[in-house]
Amino acid sequence: MITGIIMASGFSKRMNKDKLTLNLGGELVIEKVIKAAKESKLDEIILVYQKEHIKDIAIKYGIKTVFNSCPEKGQSESMKLGIKSSNLNTEAFMFIVGDQPLLNSRTIDMMIDAFNNDNSEILVPMYNNEKGSPTIFSSKLKDKLLEVEGDKGGRKIIEKAPHMVKYISIEDYRVGLDMDTWDEYQQLIEMEMEIEK
């Protein structure tokens, strides 16, 4: 069993507006991420939110939601809340960012298949030789994940235990792009139009 944790409780500081509810190809950014997760092999999906309208979107898609009352603590807080709310039988956690709208179920499934066929404790996707999301951590690392602080998520664990990590090359780098600025959002709009052609 693999649990997907969608981290959707950030502040969108660099965008100066709620980037998760921007429109991309006729759908909201967060909806595209949720749909990719729903269409994948994930056994359980949990969305961590701080704004009610994000929760409402998640409920519409029938996924579990968890309120983040301390989003200022960074990405690690969303990770911990998702882990604590997950099924006790889960074998691994997949951490998905809410602002990666070109993510698709094929990529999620590729990561899940790699985890199921390998003994690695941590799987990290590579887009154009750059580390990205979503990452998978074995539930054996649950205690270590619950100790992480700040906005770096599981990166500290990856840095300290390189022998546990397997890197998965993803052919289409566009899948790994997230958006922090208006210019990045505009670029993603253009890329999605190219993908749909």
Side-chain angles (χ1 to χ4, degrees):
M1 179 176 192
I2 297 183
T3 298
I5 298 169
I6 302 174
M7 299 178 289
S9 57
F11 290 97
S12 304
K13 286 178 183 174
R14 290 169 64 189
M15 187 74 78
N16 289 324
K17 58 178 69 186
D18 189 351
K19 60 184 175 181
L20 300 185
T21 55
L22 291 173
N23 191 296
L24 193 72
E27 292 178 309
L28 303 183
V29 167
I30 190 62
E31 281 190 286
K32 295 179 84 65
V33 175
I34 290 170
K35 285 175 80 171
K38 286 275 289 184
E39 291 165 6
S40 75
K41 295 177 181 177
L42 286 168
D43 301 292
E44 177 183 43
I45 304 168
I46 299 168
L47 181 139
V48 183
Y49 72 96
Q50 66 155 310
K51 296 177 181 174
E52 283 296 315
H53 62 272
I54 300 296
K55 175 188 178 182
D56 293 341
I57 293 166
I59 288 172
K60 185 174 82 172
Y61 285 92
I63 63 173
K64 186 175 181 178
T65 61
V66 179
F67 176 61
N68 184 352
S69 62
C70 301
E72 68 280 356
K73 290 185 177 179
Q75 201 176 74
S76 63
E77 187 68 10
S78 290
M79 289 173 54
K80 292 177 188 178
L81 289 167
I83 290 167
K84 289 173 183 175
S85 303
S86 64
N87 189 297
L88 292 175
N89 294 318
T90 195
E91 297 165 57
F93 309 102
M94 174 178 274
F95 298 107
I96 303 167
V97 292
D99 64 342
Q100 192 176 334
L102 301 186
L103 179 66
N104 53 46
S105 59
R106 289 189 308 279
T107 302
I108 293 173
D109 288 347
M110 188 186 302
M111 296 291 294
I112 290 171
D113 290 343
F115 176 80
N116 287 332
N117 295 323
D118 196 89
N119 292 321
S120 301
E121 308 285 1
I122 304 169
L123 273 78
V124 178
M126 297 290 287
Y127 305 96
N128 266 3
N129 295 316
E130 294 284 333
K131 297 171 192 170
S133 293
T135 54
I136 294 181
F137 285 77
S138 166
S139 58
K140 294 174 187 174
L141 297 169
K142 182 176 180 178
D143 290 342
K144 287 187 181 299
L145 288 165
L146 291 173
E147 291 171 0
V148 173
E149 301 288 341
D151 207 35
K152 296 219 170 181
R155 273 177 277 181
K156 288 180 182 175
I157 297 173
I158 292 169
E159 289 164 9
K160 287 181 180 178
H163 60 285
M164 291 186 177
V165 185
K166 179 169 185 174
Y167 294 98
I168 307 297
S169 180
I170 308 297
E171 196 171 323
D172 188 350
Y173 78 95
R174 296 173 296 188
V175 173
L177 297 174
D178 59 10
M179 42 181 250
D180 292 314
T181 65
W182 188 258
D183 285 345
E184 288 171 349
Y185 167 55
Q186 295 297 321
Q187 289 168 10
L188 284 171
I189 290 174
E190 291 173 17
M191 285 180 182
E192 182 170 77
M193 290 169 67
E194 287 173 19
I195 291 169
E196 290 180 349
K197 282 180 184 175

